[in-house]
Amino acid sequence: MGCNPDDQKLAQAYIDKNKTVQNSIKSIFTTHSRAIHTPFGHDTIIFDEDPLPLLLDVDTLKIADLKKIKKNKHRALLFGDDRPRFINLQRYLESVDEGEILTLPDEFKVDITNEWLLFMQTEGIDSNIMKFLASDYFYKDESDRDLIHFINQESLPQDKKIIIMSATIPVKIYKELYGERVQVIDITDVAHKGTITQHTRYSYSRNSLAKHLDNVNEKLEKRPTITFKSFNEQIDNASPDM
């Protein structure tokens, strides 16, 4: 079955725009994940907050999910071979001690490109098995023997200057990961200039704004205002370009 021509055009347009951005020499605002995984041509990457949760990505696996992945369905019907595809991995994980930090032995690592369709065709899986198979470390939960905690470590680009702006960054962890590459610039003595006026009665989230528009507009001074895109027509002096 072929793809819808309109969908193909949309997909190609998305790919083309990504290539344009990737090759741009101008400043680019993007997500933390894309900044880590996309090979932009810039020599400096600035994070506006700590990206550690993406660099050390922690997740869980249910051993029971491995039992749901069977070998080739046609082979199962013809030869009665209905054993789980990952029976050896399942038995290994069931045998490890709780709380011990381990790495997945090479014998259990598989070529994910050959297995993804099998995962996609299996219903009822709650765990990201492909992610686990590429994990760096794991351990079995001490109170739930069916639960495996694992971590995937991503790397920051080696050939770029990385600037992380955070007031709560765990410096010790970064030094363990990146050694002498880490330099800390402490600017805790910054003094505020100007006045901050905060109205705390309402949260002024999208939902809150919809209920209290008149109240908001009464309090706003006649200055350019940054708001949600969907409220640009309702907030006085909204500045869509800011």
Side-chain angles (χ1 to χ4, degrees):
M1 182 174 65
C3 296
N4 182 295
D6 291 335
D7 290 341
Q8 287 181 324
K9 290 180 181 178
L10 287 173
Q12 188 60 53
Y14 176 78
I15 293 172
D16 292 342
K17 288 179 180 178
N18 272 282
K19 287 182 178 179
T20 299
V21 171
Q22 185 175 328
N23 296 326
S24 174
I25 60 174
K26 297 181 179 180
S27 296
I28 296 172
F29 291 86
T30 187
T31 62
H32 288 180
S33 180
R34 182 157 291 184
I36 293 171
H37 295 103
T38 301
F40 292 111
H42 303 69
D43 58 9
T44 302
I45 299 177
I46 301 175
F47 292 94
D48 61 348
E49 60 183 24
D50 184 11
L52 191 62
L54 290 174
L55 298 174
L56 298 178
D57 188 7
V58 180
D59 210 334
T60 58
L61 166 80
K62 293 181 180 178
I63 299 177
D65 281 343
L66 295 172
K67 303 176 185 178
K68 300 174 184 177
I69 302 177
K70 307 297 183 180
K71 292 190 176 183
N72 185 282
K73 291 183 179 179
H74 300 295
R75 181 179 176 82
L77 291 173
L78 290 172
F79 304 106
D81 186 0
D82 195 34
R83 292 172 299 169
R85 166 66 178 83
F86 295 101
I87 183 67
N88 292 332
L89 174 59
Q90 171 197 327
R91 289 171 177 168
Y92 166 73
L93 293 177
E94 289 173 342
S95 70
V96 300
D97 294 330
E98 298 90 336
E100 183 180 359
I101 298 176
L102 302 165
T103 57
L104 191 64
D106 290 340
E107 63 186 282
F108 298 118
K109 294 183 178 180
V110 299
D111 185 352
I112 297 175
T113 58
N114 294 328
E115 304 290 348
W116 68 270
L117 186 59
L118 192 60
F119 297 143
M120 294 290 292
Q121 292 175 338
T122 304
E123 297 180 356
I125 295 178
D126 297 321
S127 310
N128 191 329
I129 298 176
M130 289 192 292
K131 194 173 175 182
F132 169 72
L133 292 173
S135 65
D136 293 282
Y137 301 97
F138 74 91
Y139 72 91
K140 182 184 289 185
D141 193 282
E142 294 178 305
S143 58
D144 183 352
R145 290 185 56 82
D146 186 55
L147 188 64
I148 299 292
H149 300 266
F150 64 89
I151 187 168
N152 297 74
Q153 182 177 340
E154 300 290 347
S155 298
L156 290 171
Q158 292 286 338
D159 59 343
K160 302 181 188 297
K161 178 188 290 185
I162 309 295
I163 300 174
I164 301 174
M165 298 185 294
S166 172
T168 57
I169 191 169
V171 175
K172 185 175 181 180
I173 293 178
Y174 273 94
K175 286 188 174 180
E176 287 288 336
L177 291 172
Y178 300 106
E180 295 181 358
R181 190 180 176 190
V182 177
Q183 297 182 32
V184 179
I185 301 175
D186 190 342
I187 52 174
T188 53
D189 293 332
V190 172
H192 288 290
K193 291 187 177 181
T195 302
I196 297 176
T197 303
Q198 185 174 6
H199 300 283
T200 59
R201 183 175 181 182
Y202 304 112
S203 69
Y204 298 117
S205 61
R206 287 182 177 84
N207 185 51
S208 178
L209 272 177
K211 297 177 181 178
H212 305 107
L213 276 171
D214 291 339
N215 179 274
V216 170
N217 284 323
E218 285 178 7
K219 295 182 182 301
L220 287 173
E221 298 182 14
K222 302 302 180 182
R223 295 178 179 175
T225 302
I226 300 173
T227 185
F228 299 108
K229 183 177 181 180
S230 58
F231 283 88
N232 281 331
E233 301 298 325
Q234 299 165 278
I235 297 295
D236 293 345
N237 301 307
S239 299
D241 296 331
M242 291 182 65

